[in-house]
Amino acid sequence: MPHLRLIARLDIKGANLIKGIQLEGVRKVGDPNTFAVQYYQEGVDEIVYMDAVASLYDRQSMMEIVRRTADSVFIPITVGGGMRSVDEARDMLRAGADKIAVNSAATLNPSLISAIAERFGSQCMVLQIDAKQRAAGRWEVYRDCGRERTGIDAVEWAMRGQELGAGEILLTSVDKEGMRRGFDVALVRAVSEAVSIPVIASGGMGKLEHLGEVVEAGRADAVAIAHVLHYGSLSLPQIRDWAGAAGLPVRAMA
Amino acid sequence: MLLDSGTSNLLSVQRALDHVGADVVIADQPSMLDDADRLILPGVGAFGHCVANLIENGLFDAVLDYARRERPLLGICVGMQMLFDGSEEFGWNDGLGLLPGRVQPIPMSGADGGRHKIPHIGWATLERSGPDWAGTFLEGFGRDRAVYFVHSFSARPEAVSDILAFADYDGIQLTAAVRRDNIMGTQFHPEKSGQAGLGILSRFLAM
């Protein structure tokens, strides 16, 4: 496999980095650009900005954040949260994003996935899936920041997304998000085995061992990390060193 | 000079070039290439789409003319793939034909037969093909330094001597960097590969 990607996920509200719990309760953490630059310097592999509100006002504010970050952070930047159209995706790409994550709008209008993939390439089109467990081995897709049920099965939706042209899946467990008790390994594995595109596991990282579980048992191709980084309970060098020692193929920092 | 190939990574490449102190002009007219000291051809998305964009804007022939003047040309990602005879992505599409070879899908399985993920996304180190990188845009590049890839297709140059570097993907060797005289290319994204990538752009600018 290529190197396991360690991705910093930054959820944004207005001008601030926030940290939610199960995508709902939020706390302000600080200036997102400061965090992004620090993670870049510490060797994070990618940055994901997620607009937690996605109102018109917030969209402008997000574009400004992306613009500032892209000026000094030379690694892939993914932007998601409330993306509704090809035009919105284009504006965000122009501001400096490399990839667009689409969630709610795609569940209502799946052709948005193929429209973005055809216009900008599949490498730009990240299908964001927020999933909640309904029964053993069954997960339902949620939209609008984990608030609304869609009735769609998460594994089937991942397969459909791949067919429509998604180049990657950003998979968040609504149950595990912000809880720091580990990823939903069964969910990640079910999706990762069902598709041939890479899967980014998101939601639940609390300690180093969680990383090993979701990569080895869950077959995650990449891991999105938020809480433990933003509050400084784990640092990127610490995570990378541990992963290297555990035999996970992370990028060496030269 | 950076060619406006209508691709979405144009501005990312520009930002990275600005950062390493290049004097960047974005060329969207064929005549603009007459004055270029160096030319970068970015590209992401579908191969056929990228070539069609060049043809539509009259830039396809302008790039060929530029290349004949033996000035440095660097293709990035699909920009590198376009240097070759053509690609099998969504049916055959002709490329610029500056380097012999074709662009083909990355094999769905690794050398051990196990399936792996496509696109190939992530950071990989560069493995030297041939004796030395001295005098090339990879001169001095560290063995353990990784660069960022995202692609589903991979160039198969006919001449092994055109290949500067491979990236290993589960035992499959993917063409990572190519060079023949003034024609250069990277499958990876130097503009998105942190300090390692910025260093490669700097070396290209110094050539």
Side-chain angles (χ1 to χ4, degrees):
Chain A
M1 67 188 286
H3 290 132
L4 165 67
R5 285 177 287 151
L6 302 175
I7 299 174
R9 172 175 171 158
L10 293 89
D11 291 77
I12 307 294
K13 184 179 182 183
N16 288 297
L17 168 63
I18 56 163
K19 190 61 207 84
I21 294 168
Q22 295 184 321
L23 302 175
E24 280 188 284
V26 297
R27 266 175 248 153
K28 284 185 189 178
V29 186
D31 171 28
N33 194 54
T34 310
F35 283 80
V37 169
Q38 184 196 328
Y39 298 152
Y40 169 63
Q41 286 166 349
E42 290 176 350
V44 80
D45 293 326
E46 296 187 33
I47 299 283
V48 171
Y49 277 136
M50 200 56 72
D51 190 338
V53 186
S55 65
L56 200 57
Y57 171 80
D58 285 291
R59 182 53 44 82
Q60 291 305 317
S61 157
M62 176 65 104
M63 282 175 54
E64 197 44 46
I65 293 167
V66 172
R67 222 171 266 131
R68 280 173 60 206
T69 303
D71 271 336
S72 52
V73 168
F74 298 100
I75 52 172
I77 301 169
T78 301
V79 179
M83 290 288 168
R84 276 171 290 255
S85 67
V86 169
D87 285 351
E88 284 182 332
R90 180 203 57 209
D91 291 347
M92 210 48 93
L93 292 168
R94 281 194 185 151
D98 300 287
K99 314 181 198 183
I100 300 298
V102 180
N103 177 16
S104 304
T107 62
L108 302 169
N109 168 29
S111 68
L112 180 60
I113 298 172
S114 33
I116 291 177
E118 276 162 28
R119 174 80 183 271
F120 308 110
S122 285
Q123 85 293 332
C124 248
M125 174 55 231
V126 180
L127 177 60
Q128 180 195 351
I129 300 180
D130 293 345
K132 204 166 181 167
Q133 186 160 19
R134 306 306 309 177
R138 274 191 54 79
W139 296 266
E140 181 179 351
V141 177
Y142 273 63
R143 61 181 170 86
D144 295 317
C145 300
R147 285 190 293 270
E148 301 287 333
R149 298 178 60 165
T150 64
I152 302 170
D153 178 78
V155 176
E156 282 168 21
W157 180 230
M159 293 164 72
R160 179 88 202 284
Q162 173 176 319
E163 269 166 44
L164 289 168
E168 271 181 280
I169 289 173
L170 171 59
L171 179 61
T172 304
S173 160
V174 178
D175 303 303
K176 303 285 185 179
E177 220 290 314
M179 304 299 279
R180 289 180 287 168
R181 289 192 208 124
F183 296 89
D184 188 335
V185 172
L187 166 66
V188 175
R189 182 173 183 132
V191 171
S192 190
E193 287 187 336
V195 296
S196 63
I197 56 180
V199 173
I200 305 162
S202 171
M205 174 97 172
K207 56 179 186 178
L208 293 164
E209 289 72 18
H210 294 150
L211 181 66
E213 286 165 15
V214 78
V215 174
E216 278 161 3
R219 307 202 173 165
D221 301 289
V223 175
I225 311 171
H227 214 297
V228 291
L229 285 181
H230 307 330
Y231 287 118
S233 57
L234 289 174
S235 72
L236 281 156
Q238 223 179 335
I239 295 170
R240 188 177 300 97
D241 288 350
W242 182 88
L248 302 178
V250 287
R251 173 163 69 111
M253 290 310 294
Chain B
M1 191 167 284
L2 185 58
L3 198 69
D4 184 358
S5 48
T7 180
S8 63
N9 70 333
L10 177 75
L11 295 178
S12 298
V13 178
Q14 182 184 15
R15 281 186 196 95
L17 289 170
D18 284 343
H19 190 80
V20 297
D23 179 13
V24 186
V25 176
I26 295 193
D28 56 4
Q29 301 285 329
S31 61
M32 294 175 77
L33 270 62
D34 295 345
D35 311 320
D37 295 326
R38 287 175 195 80
L39 182 64
I40 294 185
L41 174 58
V44 294
F47 184 98
H49 193 72
C50 288
V51 171
N53 265 336
L54 289 187
I55 293 173
E56 221 167 88
N57 299 312
L59 294 167
F60 189 92
D61 290 330
V63 172
L64 290 175
D65 287 341
Y66 171 88
R68 270 184 221 113
R69 292 197 296 275
E70 295 180 6
R71 281 182 252 171
L73 167 63
L74 176 69
I76 296 177
C77 194
V78 179
M80 180 201 89
Q81 296 180 359
M82 286 194 286
L83 301 174
F84 288 88
D85 291 327
S87 170
E88 296 174 7
E89 186 175 9
F90 299 122
W92 180 259
N93 285 286
D94 281 335
L96 291 158
L98 292 165
L99 298 175
R102 41 209 293 146
V103 179
Q104 295 179 321
I106 297 173
M108 296 295 288
S109 324
D112 65 355
R115 280 173 65 86
H116 54 197
K117 296 297 179 78
I118 307 284
H120 170 238
I121 304 183
W123 298 71
T125 50
L126 297 180
E127 292 175 16
R128 194 175 296 167
S129 166
D132 206 350
W133 283 339
T136 75
F137 65 94
L138 290 179
E139 180 166 346
F141 194 79
R143 288 183 70 86
D144 51 354
R145 303 203 88 183
V147 287
Y148 181 78
F149 289 82
V150 47
H151 59 134
S152 301
F153 286 74
S154 179
R156 307 278 169 79
E158 272 173 30
V160 176
S161 56
D162 290 343
I163 304 172
L164 268 186
F166 290 113
D168 176 84
Y169 189 26
D170 296 331
I172 306 278
Q173 287 189 318
L174 302 174
T175 302
V178 295
R179 186 207 58 165
R180 175 184 287 195
D181 306 320
N182 60 319
I183 309 296
M184 292 162 259
T186 65
Q187 178 61 63
F188 58 87
H189 287 273
E191 78 281 11
K192 287 287 157 185
S193 296
Q195 287 301 327
L198 296 174
I200 289 171
L201 290 175
S202 294
R203 276 187 291 276
F204 172 73
L205 293 169
M207 298 197 82

